[in-house]
Amino acid sequence: MLDGCSVNDHHWVYAASTTDLGYSIVVTDTATGAVREYTNEPGQPAPAITDATAFPRACSVPVAAEASAAPIAPAPLGHAAASHSGCEEAGSSLCLVDGRFEVKVDWSTADGQNGPASKVPGGTNNSGLFTFFDPNNWEMLIKVLDGCAVNGNFWVYSAAATDLGLDITVTDTDTDATWTYTKEPGPPAPAITDAAAFTASCRP
């Protein structure tokens, strides 16, 4: 939920999910009673929700005092295992699966601005988050999953609550194999559900 009152006099709803399952998300403005519902049909990679006109009358409603307190810094999601492979943690590099896979993300706008995404501190051994502009506004989740026992591959799943352009690079530092994804600015980012991202990375 983003306060866009100073931009277009609306509160915005942005969301993303790394799935092709069906779902229904219901967002209620408890001050006005306005409701917005967002759905995804089973079998379809979930598109990002980028609704900048979700709640048009919310800006004129006074916000409760507790809701207007200073923002809380994001808490770490867990402990990411220390790298014992070729990935080195940096502000723009995320190391996953015991440091074997290195993830880098660049964003871009329609008017030519661009830059590297920054990883959110914390995360898990196989998943992490990125921000683009504000460290308190998480923009993208990405996971590298060990599917060797299922289909002999490592998988890349990702979701970004954005319509910005994306350039995502995941490198297997053991084999130097690289998986890339590019999205142009404009349309909402679709969920990435690639169960064949790394086809030759499973160890005997």
Side-chain angles (χ1 to χ4, degrees):
M1 293 296 305
L2 301 176
D3 183 345
C5 293
S6 64
V7 179
N8 69 344
D9 204 33
H10 290 71
H11 278 76
W12 308 351
V13 176
Y14 275 53
S17 179
T18 61
T19 189
D20 58 4
L21 298 179
Y23 64 71
S24 174
I25 301 172
V26 178
V27 183
T28 303
D29 181 346
T30 60
T32 67
V35 176
R36 295 291 180 269
E37 182 175 9
Y38 306 91
T39 61
N40 190 60
E41 294 299 320
Q44 300 297 315
I49 297 165
T50 57
D51 188 352
T53 58
F55 293 98
R57 291 180 299 280
C59 295
S60 60
V61 178
V63 178
E66 57 267 30
S68 61
I72 299 172
L77 299 181
H79 175 69
S83 173
H84 63 68
S85 192
C87 182
E88 295 184 11
E89 291 279 2
S92 59
S93 292
L94 176 67
C95 298
L96 299 178
V97 190
D98 296 325
R100 178 177 173 180
F101 291 88
E102 181 180 37
V103 182
K104 292 187 176 182
V105 179
D106 291 298
W107 56 265
S108 60
T109 65
D111 61 2
Q113 298 180 61
N114 60 78
S118 298
K119 65 180 177 59
V120 174
T124 69
N125 190 43
N126 65 2
S127 64
L129 294 163
F130 283 96
T131 66
F132 298 162
F133 308 107
D134 181 345
N136 288 312
N137 183 21
W138 301 347
E139 302 272 7
M140 179 180 157
L141 164 70
I142 191 162
K143 303 188 282 187
V144 176
L145 303 174
D146 183 345
C148 293
V150 179
N151 69 347
N153 301 316
F154 276 84
W155 309 351
V156 174
Y157 276 51
S158 183
T162 189
D163 57 6
L164 295 180
L166 296 173
D167 286 293
I168 305 170
T169 302
V170 182
T171 302
D172 180 350
T173 63
D174 277 8
T175 67
D176 291 328
T178 300
W179 176 93
T180 60
Y181 171 83
T182 299
K183 174 205 165 300
E184 295 299 320
I192 296 168
T193 56
D194 189 348
F198 291 93
T199 58
S201 290
C202 294
R203 298 176 175 127

